Amino acid sequence: METTLAGHVVENLPQVTATGVIIKAVIILAVLSALAGFGTFIERKVLAFMQRRLGPMHVGPYGLLQIAADGIKLFTKEDIIPQNANKLIFMIAPIITAATAFIALSAVPVFPDFTIPEFIPLLGGTFVPSIASDLNVGLLFVLGMMAAGLYGPLLAGMSQSNKWGIIGAARTAIQFLSYEVVTGLSILAPIMLVGSLSFVDFNDYQAGGIGSWLIWQQPVAFILFLIAGFAETNRTPFDLLEHEAEIVSGYATEYSGMRWGMFFIGEYANMITVAIIASVVFLGGYDAEGALGWLFIMLKIAFFFFLMLWVRASWPHIRPDQLMWLCWKVLMPIAMINIVITALVILI
Amino acid sequence: MLENFAASLMTIEGFAFYLFSVLTIGLFSVTVMSKNILYAMTSLAAGMVLISGFFFILGADFLGVVQLVVYVGAIMALYSFAMMFFDATRDIKEKNTSNAVVFVLGGMTALVLVLMFAAPIYSESIQALYPMHEGVGNAQDVGMVLFTKYLVPFEVAALMLLVAMIAGIMLAGKKMDDSLTEDMSADDEIMIEKDEK
């Protein structure tokens, strides 16, 4: 028994305090905003490597300081609001994207839990949990929050009184709505197996090593979830929202400076969220490999992130009608059949 | 009365409740009052998000999340898809024949609704017919009630949705085989050329 500065009694199983949750929230915000910047650098380098180019090379060693240069550019750029746009909605839209992306991250396990060492003044001994807000229905909450994220691009496109923006917004609505169905249905099969919506239960269910990973029992659901995840995070075969060859930049056409940057941060945060869900639900969770579990979950998340870049380098865009065909005539029926088969197997 | 209010405002639940209430009512007022489609739509969606907050305060996490997924993610998004057909940046002109009639009818409906929902609270304290079980998740509790007591309404609702879905497919699917974007006559010409060869 020991007492932290916040006055809470800490037993053997550390108690989650308000201070710990706030620290966690700050860590998530800081690290992931920075990761979004670093992610662009990695993306450009990986794409360059796959296309036999050099990528950014001029700013700093191997172009590493390109992140700083891009950041300075984004922060100092003029924030232009078009004359005929609905100014309030135009200003709010990027905040919705960034906010929903980070709220979604509050219910998934990000980084291992740890206790701040005693020798640090003020905050020493505070237990920082792995999941900022451990909901019973965490999985549904994350999916719901990502669904709410569609208002960012939607309102952005509709408020800017720009043809490309409107087309981008319409594409947002059809793409996100359609693929939400696939995401939900594909993840329903593992939920039925585990019998819970909590990430902790998913982690515990797969505690028996690689053999007990859900990917072996639900390979179809895994692939469906990945495909739908690409569509929901607006990644390249499915980035119709801002397909630069067709609609300039879609919903983001009129945005500049930090407002555009917020869309960007939101997109990268969503990519990381999808990677975390895929790792925890299908690839064994965060302490599957014992003491080094936190390292392996990072590697799994990094792999999914890399996979998104890899796919971008390898595959062309698809047409909107192909996107709808894929969703409603291929992926959704497969997801339904998968659920029925899973239910039959559970019953028998 | 006022002391009770002040005391409840001090607790986390009370503060959250009043915050969400004020924000929800404010946002829904914007939905009703505003002449701009975008403002109305945005405030309605934001109000829907805040309503899920009430479920979270009551400990009904599952229903709160369902509120988020269904109303914010699906229904509001469909509304907004319909909004694509309007010019969102221009104010709309409402065609009210008489403001007084609208005011009286709206006010009466609101009054009746308030009375309906307030009556049981006033007469006796509300009892939970299906209290939550300890150690059982929210989703399981909802499922148990839904598949025992309310099985028939549940199935009827499912059937009605199926009927609506088939009707929707029938209405929209008449010309599904024709492409709206491609010029069909161009295809015919190609076919004719093929035939001639």
Side-chain angles (χ1 to χ4, degrees):
Chain A
M1 298 279 278
E2 58 187 281
T3 313
T4 63
L5 254 162
H8 293 276
V9 179
V10 178
E11 292 177 4
N12 282 343
L13 206 149
Q15 201 184 351
V16 179
T17 60
T19 331
V21 173
I22 291 169
I23 294 171
K24 183 74 195 181
V26 172
I27 290 176
I28 292 178
L29 270 176
V31 172
L32 282 165
S33 303
L35 264 185
F38 193 60
T40 51
F41 176 74
I42 298 276
E43 178 159 7
R44 291 166 76 175
K45 273 292 184 194
V46 169
L47 286 181
F49 176 70
M50 289 185 178
Q51 294 159 354
R52 308 202 64 174
R53 298 182 284 118
L54 285 174
M57 284 298 279
H58 288 288
V59 194
Y62 293 98
L64 257 173
L65 291 177
Q66 187 70 40
I67 315 159
D70 284 346
I72 293 167
K73 185 194 81 177
L74 276 183
F75 273 106
T76 52
K77 228 177 176 180
E78 187 188 351
D79 182 22
I80 302 167
I81 297 173
Q83 200 172 14
N84 288 328
N86 190 327
K87 293 190 178 53
L88 180 67
I89 306 287
F90 186 85
M91 279 151 59
I92 288 177
I95 302 173
I96 296 177
T97 302
T100 49
F102 281 111
I103 294 173
L105 274 169
S106 73
V108 295
V110 197
F111 315 122
D113 43 11
F114 62 93
T115 309
I116 296 176
E118 292 290 340
F119 57 81
I120 293 171
L122 271 176
L123 295 171
T126 315
F127 174 70
V128 180
S130 170
I131 307 176
S133 152
D134 186 10
L135 288 171
N136 266 331
V137 288
L139 195 51
L140 261 189
F141 180 80
V142 175
L143 293 181
M145 227 47 231
M146 286 179 71
L150 84 92
Y151 285 101
L154 187 77
L155 294 174
M158 286 180 74
S159 64
Q160 58 187 251
S161 67
N162 176 317
K163 281 177 203 162
W164 314 120
I166 288 278
I167 298 174
R171 287 183 173 190
T172 310
I174 49 168
Q175 177 173 332
F176 282 15
L177 267 183
S178 309
Y179 277 86
E180 249 167 53
V181 175
V182 180
T183 323
L185 288 178
S186 66
I187 215 146
L188 198 59
I191 288 173
M192 282 157 66
L193 280 179
V194 177
S196 169
L197 293 163
S198 161
F199 281 109
V200 180
D201 288 341
F202 270 96
N203 180 51
D204 295 345
Y205 186 86
Q206 307 173 74
I210 290 183
S212 66
W213 285 6
L214 269 171
I215 184 175
W216 311 125
Q217 292 182 46
Q218 290 288 345
V220 180
F222 174 69
I223 290 166
L224 290 178
F225 178 78
L226 263 194
I227 295 174
F230 274 70
E232 288 228 29
T233 49
N234 185 21
R235 292 301 300 176
T236 298
F238 309 118
D239 65 339
L240 299 172
L241 281 61
E242 42 181 334
H243 197 331
E244 59 275 359
E246 291 171 5
I247 50 172
V248 187
S249 189
Y251 65 88
T253 305
E254 297 282 3
Y255 281 92
S256 65
M258 210 46 217
R259 290 194 196 283
W260 182 82
M262 267 191 259
F263 279 125
F264 212 76
I265 291 172
E267 184 181 326
Y268 273 79
N270 271 333
M271 280 164 73
I272 291 170
T273 314
V274 167
I276 292 174
I277 299 177
S279 324
V280 174
V281 172
F282 292 103
L283 290 190
Y286 42 89
D287 50 24
E289 285 81 18
L292 280 176
W294 60 271
L295 182 68
F296 279 96
I297 185 92
M298 298 261 179
L299 287 178
K300 287 171 206 165
I301 294 169
F303 169 74
F304 281 117
F305 198 87
F306 175 71
L307 187 71
M308 288 175 176
L309 310 184
W310 190 0
V311 170
R312 179 176 172 183
S314 322
W315 291 83
H317 303 284
I318 63 171
R319 292 199 312 263
D321 63 319
Q322 290 171 328
L323 186 83
M324 289 297 111
W325 170 82
L326 183 68
C327 175
W328 293 108
K329 291 190 176 170
V330 181
L331 298 182
M332 202 197 70
I334 295 177
M336 292 298 283
I337 293 167
N338 187 39
I339 288 172
V340 171
I341 292 174
T342 311
L344 286 177
V345 169
I346 292 175
L347 279 179
I348 298 164
Chain B
M1 190 74 182
L2 208 63
E3 286 150 20
N4 274 347
F5 174 71
S8 66
L9 203 57
M10 282 294 111
T11 61
I12 289 180
E13 284 89 3
F15 180 74
F17 174 78
Y18 285 113
L19 182 72
F20 286 149
S21 311
V22 169
L23 283 174
T24 310
I25 293 171
L27 283 165
F28 283 161
S29 320
V30 172
T31 309
V32 179
M33 310 284 183
S34 172
K35 282 184 177 164
N36 189 310
I37 295 174
L38 263 183
Y39 286 145
M41 198 186 82
T42 314
S43 57
L44 188 59
M48 294 288 189
V49 174
L50 287 170
I51 282 182
S52 74
F54 293 112
F55 289 109
F56 284 113
I57 295 174
L58 291 169
D61 294 358
F62 181 70
L63 286 181
V65 172
V66 167
Q67 163 85 18
L68 265 182
V69 173
V70 173
Y71 282 90
V72 182
I75 293 182
M76 271 310 299
L78 282 179
Y79 282 179
S80 44
F81 196 62
M83 297 296 168
M84 293 287 162
F85 300 107
F86 301 102
D87 183 358
T89 48
R90 210 173 293 161
D91 285 358
I92 49 159
K93 286 178 194 139
E94 291 184 54
K95 286 179 193 156
N96 282 346
T97 43
S98 156
N99 277 333
V101 173
V102 173
F103 184 77
V104 169
L105 283 178
M108 291 289 279
T109 318
L111 196 67
V112 169
L113 278 175
V114 169
L115 286 177
M116 263 168 62
F117 287 110
I121 303 173
Y122 186 72
S123 59
E124 55 191 316
S125 58
I126 294 181
Q127 287 177 334
L129 279 177
Y130 302 98
M132 296 210 309
H133 300 94
E134 279 299 316
V136 182
N138 241 293
Q140 281 91 334
D141 261 339
V142 173
M144 264 184 252
V145 179
L146 207 58
F147 285 106
T148 52
K149 169 94 176 167
Y150 295 110
L151 181 64
V152 176
F154 181 71
E155 294 294 337
V156 169
L159 203 68
M160 282 165 72
L161 282 176
L162 185 68
V163 170
M165 194 172 79
I166 294 171
I169 292 171
M170 286 301 291
L171 283 174
K174 274 175 192 161
K175 291 180 181 169
M176 217 102 144
D177 293 334
D178 302 347
S179 170
L180 291 170
T181 49
E182 285 168 37
D183 187 4
M184 288 322 236
S185 58
D187 283 5
D188 291 342
E189 278 167 26
I190 295 168
M191 295 299 282
I192 292 164
E193 277 173 23
K194 266 187 191 168
D195 288 345
E196 282 170 354
K197 276 174 193 170

